[in-house]
Amino acid sequence: MLNAWLAALIVALTGAAVPVAPRSEEPTVIVRRSNGLPLWIPATEAFTDSGDLREDLFPPHVRAQLHQVRDLNPERCEYAAVAPSLEIFEPVDSLENLAISAESVFSGAIVAAEPGFYDGNPGTLFSIQVDRAFKRGHAASTVPTVSLFLGIGEIKTPRGHICGRGLRGAVAPNLGDEVLFFAHLAPMDLGGRIFVVEPHKALLVQSKSHLTMPSALVDGHAPKDLAEAISRVRSVLGTDRTSKLH
């Protein structure tokens, strides 16, 4: 029987199956906060041989919640841990408003993806080869790649599945896709490279000729492709910082 407090942090997954994020062959490493505590933990480093989360990496309340999610999903993803949503109080109804209100604005290509846990939340860390950095905020100033965490995918263990919450109607990017994202929060990792966004509000994905954008932008002023979106952001923020990348 579910602990009552933990039950409030678990949601049933209904309708379509949880999207499985693309998996690259390039593993990531444990990324820590400025105080030394783990922030990003790749799935390859997260578990003991028996399939339990490592006590030295996860606080007791996080392990308890995720173990209950795992036990509810012995064969496939039916329940997921509830990840907190990011509250954006600035207007997000246009590219121009997103560009002005965001602390960091990047575009680039998805070059790697790895399942794991960010701040205790299951999901996928996407590595982005930056080609335009319009605003960097508190991000590392000249890094050629940044990472974007999205709460999607499933993590298989010897004792069941730990499942991401999903994207609330947004589309998961694939390896090779071009993205443009607007981050309203500063990175919490020591290197200043990992961003978290609400994808249904602040992420555009160009997959071949198809552009997926936040629902608030799907109106008469929506861009026809990512190139137009980038041009509009540039018109608001000025020249991007691509020349500083190395």
Side-chain angles (χ1 to χ4, degrees):
M1 184 174 180
L2 287 177
N3 175 285
W5 178 80
L6 290 174
L9 300 176
I10 296 173
V11 63
L13 297 170
T14 59
V18 175
V20 178
R23 175 72 178 271
S24 71
E25 297 302 320
E26 179 183 348
T28 56
V29 297
I30 295 173
V31 178
R32 298 184 181 274
R33 304 171 187 264
S34 57
N35 61 8
L37 295 176
L39 178 65
W40 162 254
I41 304 169
T44 53
E45 301 290 335
F47 298 94
T48 65
D49 292 340
S50 63
D52 288 330
L53 293 164
R54 288 171 51 181
E55 293 184 7
D56 60 321
L57 296 178
F58 294 88
H61 69 283
V62 173
R63 289 202 315 276
Q65 179 194 2
L66 294 176
H67 284 165
Q68 287 210 332
V69 172
R70 176 202 62 192
D71 295 343
L72 288 169
N73 300 308
E75 298 181 356
R76 62 182 182 275
C77 281
E78 296 185 81
Y79 296 89
V82 175
S85 61
L86 302 177
E87 295 295 336
I88 303 175
F89 297 102
E90 295 85 356
V92 294
D93 57 345
S94 71
L95 283 170
E96 290 75 15
N97 282 334
L98 276 170
I100 292 169
S101 63
E103 177 175 290
S104 302
V105 182
F106 290 90
S107 70
I110 302 290
V111 295
E114 178 80 358
F117 302 86
Y118 176 85
D119 200 23
N121 299 301
T124 301
L125 192 69
F126 293 89
S127 296
I128 300 170
Q129 184 73 40
V130 175
D131 56 24
R132 294 175 182 85
F134 294 100
K135 295 170 75 174
R136 286 189 172 274
H138 292 86
S141 60
T142 59
V143 293
T145 60
V146 296
S147 297
L148 182 65
F149 175 79
L150 299 176
I152 61 170
E154 60 182 75
I155 298 171
K156 297 180 181 180
T157 81
R159 298 172 59 181
H161 300 246
I162 298 177
C163 311
R165 177 66 179 89
L167 297 183
R168 297 177 61 181
V171 174
N174 291 296
L175 295 176
D177 286 353
E178 299 284 333
V179 300
L180 170 65
F181 72 86
F182 304 83
H184 289 77
L185 297 179
M188 293 194 297
D189 62 296
L190 186 59
R193 297 189 182 193
I194 301 179
F195 293 88
V196 180
V197 303
E198 285 284 13
H200 66 289
K201 295 180 180 178
L203 173 65
L204 285 77
V205 180
Q206 179 90 44
S207 182
K208 296 182 180 179
S209 61
H210 180 70
L211 176 66
T212 302
M213 68 192 79
S215 56
L217 303 183
V218 182
D219 56 23
H221 302 289
K224 66 178 184 298
D225 55 28
L226 199 65
E228 180 185 331
I230 289 171
S231 177
R232 287 170 56 179
V233 170
R234 184 185 290 115
S235 70
V236 175
L237 299 180
T239 304
D240 60 72
R241 280 71 169 174
T242 310
S243 60
K244 292 185 179 182
L245 301 177
H246 62 272

